[in-house]
């Protein structure tokens, strides 16, 4: 895997509380050549206590802390969540790790692309609201033991397995997209204007069950808009809002 592609992949730990798990994730990143660690937490995460991060001090020192997933992935063009699945009802496309790895590498081949790989908390994983920022999900196939209801993997192990899958893949899998996907912050701006249009047209009042922010975000993400599409669609929606305003005069 080319160094520039490694630099386009961000490991995002969401609500991780155990310093040893953060350290293990950082160690895996160091061992496989990844540098960008992002931590989402409402309180200062115990980065300085990440004792298991042997030889990963550079990754820990460069880790960035965010208050929300939206902030952590704002500059990313692809956001992928990880899940153990279990009995959870999913509203996203789900890919096994091998297939997911190829899709991530294809996106990371773009010169202005950034991929966020989200890992949830040790106890609860990613919440539905956190998952709403993802285009799709990946899962690590695991052997299902009869005595275990929901087989899952330790956070540090999960990070290591996912990163190994990425670096073992051949460079021939990396074909940069001809059109760059919209960054997450562009999607959020699009979403807010889209919601304003829905409010002005009365759609939200008439169909509130279909208008939750997480639902609308997923609808926008499924559109697969590119960074070139965003200003065009936002111009269209602004024109719609202007026309409706003129009609009220």
């Amino acid at each position: 895997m080319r160094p520039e592609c490694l630099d386009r992949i961000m490991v995002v730990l969401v609500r991780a509380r155990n310093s040893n798990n953060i350290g293990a994730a950082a160690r895996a990143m160091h061992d496989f050549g990844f540098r960008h660690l992002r931590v989402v937490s409402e309180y200062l995460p115990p980065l300085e206590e990440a004792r298991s991060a042997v030889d990963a001090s550079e990754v820990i020192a460069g880790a960035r802390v965010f208050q929300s997933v939206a902030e952590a992935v704002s500059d990313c063009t692809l956001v992928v969540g990880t899940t153990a699945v279990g009995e959870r009802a999913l509203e996203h496309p789900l890919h096994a790790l091998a297939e997911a790895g190829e899709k991530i590498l294809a996106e990371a081949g773009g010169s202005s692309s950034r991929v966020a790989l989200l890992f949830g908390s040790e106890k609860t994983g990613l919440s539905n609201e956190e998952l709403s920022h993802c285009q799709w999900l990946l899962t690590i196939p695991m052997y299902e033991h009869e005595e275990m209801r929901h087989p899952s993997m330790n956070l540090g192990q999960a990070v290591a397995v996912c990163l190994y899958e990425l670096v073992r893949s051949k460079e021939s899998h990396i074909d940069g997209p001809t059109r760059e996907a919209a960054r997450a912050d562009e999607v959020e701006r699009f979403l807010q204007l889209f919601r304003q249009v829905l409010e002005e047209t009365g759609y939200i009042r008439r169909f509130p069950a279909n208008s939750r922010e997480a639902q609308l975000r997923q609808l926008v993400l499924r559109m697969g808009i590119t960074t070139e599409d965003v200003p065009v669609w936002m111009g269209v929606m602004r024109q719609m809002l202007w026309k409706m305003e003129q009609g009220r005069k």
Side-chain angles (χ1 to χ4, degrees):
M1 192 174 184
R2 299 193 301 268
E4 60 268 27
C5 293
L6 292 173
D7 260 358
R8 296 174 192 144
I9 297 176
M10 320 292 147
V11 174
V12 184
L13 306 183
V14 183
R15 293 180 289 108
R17 290 179 173 269
N18 188 305
S19 60
N20 287 331
N21 286 338
I22 296 175
R27 173 63 186 271
M29 292 176 63
H30 174 270
D31 289 347
F32 292 121
F34 296 84
R35 299 191 302 114
H36 301 293
L37 174 62
R38 300 180 178 185
V39 179
V40 177
S41 179
E42 296 179 356
Y43 57 91
L44 185 65
L47 295 175
E48 67 282 358
E49 299 177 7
R51 293 181 295 273
S52 60
V54 180
D55 296 328
S57 57
E58 183 178 349
V59 174
I60 291 292
R64 300 173 61 190
V65 181
F66 298 86
Q67 294 294 306
S68 67
V69 171
E71 294 173 349
V73 303
S74 65
D75 61 342
C76 296
T77 56
L78 173 64
V79 182
V80 179
T82 57
T83 179
V85 186
E87 298 175 358
R88 186 174 195 165
L90 299 178
E91 299 179 356
H92 296 69
L94 178 68
H95 302 284
L97 180 56
E99 179 186 1
E102 294 187 2
K103 293 170 69 68
I104 290 171
L105 291 178
E107 179 68 24
S111 60
S112 60
S113 299
R114 280 186 175 81
V115 180
L117 191 54
L118 269 59
F119 296 86
S121 74
E122 297 90 340
K123 292 187 64 175
T124 61
L126 294 166
S127 70
N128 288 334
E129 194 282 329
E130 291 158 354
L131 288 173
S132 76
H133 294 273
C134 302
Q135 278 92 335
W136 46 270
L137 308 179
L138 73 79
T139 188
I140 301 171
M142 300 182 65
Y143 183 82
E144 295 190 13
H145 297 272
E146 292 184 2
E147 66 274 14
M148 291 180 61
R149 293 185 60 191
H150 306 303
S152 61
M153 187 173 287
N154 170 273
L155 176 60
Q157 294 175 330
V159 171
V161 170
C162 289
L163 298 185
Y164 169 72
E165 177 62 32
L166 294 179
V167 299
R168 81 171 184 84
S169 299
K170 296 179 181 179
E171 285 198 10
S172 60
H173 288 156
I174 305 175
D175 297 315
T178 57
R179 303 177 68 211
E180 303 292 348
R183 300 189 313 272
D185 60 343
E186 294 175 321
V187 171
E188 288 300 307
R189 290 198 299 272
F190 179 100
L191 174 61
Q192 296 312 311
L193 190 57
F194 180 45
R195 186 174 182 84
Q196 186 178 348
V197 170
L198 295 181
E199 289 174 348
E200 289 293 324
T201 60
Y203 180 90
I204 288 180
R205 291 192 300 275
R206 187 173 182 184
F207 302 104
N210 297 335
S211 303
R212 291 186 296 106
E213 184 165 336
Q215 286 179 306
L216 294 177
R217 182 179 292 112
Q218 278 300 297
L219 177 63
V220 172
L221 289 174
R222 286 196 296 271
M223 292 170 61
I225 59 175
T226 69
T227 193
E228 296 175 350
D229 294 335
V230 171
V232 177
W233 277 111
M234 293 187 73
V236 170
M237 291 189 289
R238 290 192 182 101
Q239 181 67 21
M240 293 168 62
L241 291 170
W242 178 83
K243 192 67 174 179
M244 286 186 283
E245 178 63 26
Q246 295 302 303
R248 288 194 288 266
K249 292 182 179 179

